[in-house]
Amino acid sequence: MMNKAVLLSATGAIAALAMLGAGYAAGNKPAMQAAPDVIKVASTTTVPAGGTLDRAEVEAIVRDYLLKNPEILLEVQEALETKQKEEQRLAHLDVIKNQKGDIFNSAFDGVVGNPNGKVTIVEFYDYNCGFCKRAMEDMQALTKADPDLRFVLKEFPILSPDSHKASVVSMAFHKLMPEKYGEFHTALLGGEGRATEAKAIKIALSLGADEGKLREHMQDPDIPAALEKTYDLANKLAITGTPSYVVGDEVIFGALGQKVLAEKIEAAKASL
């Protein structure tokens, strides 16, 4: 077995380098400053000449140090989270770049605001999502305030079979009467109670849709194919809840409010 002093010194150096690397990656000065402390522990530990160090002793030394300096665990955790967020951001960039058409210009997605707007925001939503209902006011306020904003509504029914059926009606109505899709969307998402197939059909008929043609479009095999593509996109973008948004090259999770969305839209404009 290796001499205690040598192994302990090596262990301290490795720990120090690991923390130094984590601190550098995260821009975390406390983590970088902690490295010399670990080296100090290693260099000042008294070990009998010719002694050996087994695994249990190494673990005890590490445990003792961490118990005395628990803040290091937080620093390492912060560095890890920063690294993971950056990796996720880069992965999102790749998906957005390679599947731009499916994200921003799917034929089955409804569009409100300016259809030719310079900046596009895409919302993944579910008709039975309470947060989406409240977020609808954000969409309306943003499109009213910004005449150059294109707001894409991407069906992402994940909460129930009723949500899925309502989305099928919605997509069929959009194909049949795209000029009235905004009214349909507002009525169904903003209505009281659960969104269902029957409620969606009732709204569609009240807006002038022909029931026979509507039901015919509901059988279009392109609709389930489009939904599957949306589920695949959501998976690649790590979207698991609604509402979620894509603005420029950024993915935004949750109903963060009009102010945050407006800031993201302005950032996307600045990058054009």
Side-chain angles (χ1 to χ4, degrees), residues 169 172-173 176-177 197-198 200-202 204-219:
V169 179
F173 181 82
L176 185 64
M177 302 180 69
E197 180 182 275
I201 290 175
K202 183 177 180 180
L205 298 184
S206 72
L207 292 172
D210 177 271
E211 185 170 359
K213 290 181 179 179
L214 178 67
R215 291 187 180 278
E216 181 181 341
H217 282 309
M218 287 167 59
Q219 302 304 315

Side-chain angles (χ1 to χ4, degrees), residues 232-255:
D232 181 60
L233 280 174
N235 183 55
K236 291 176 180 176
L237 294 171
I239 292 174
T240 58
T242 53
S244 291
Y245 304 86
V246 177
V247 187
D249 57 7
E250 186 175 1
V251 181
I252 303 165
F253 305 98

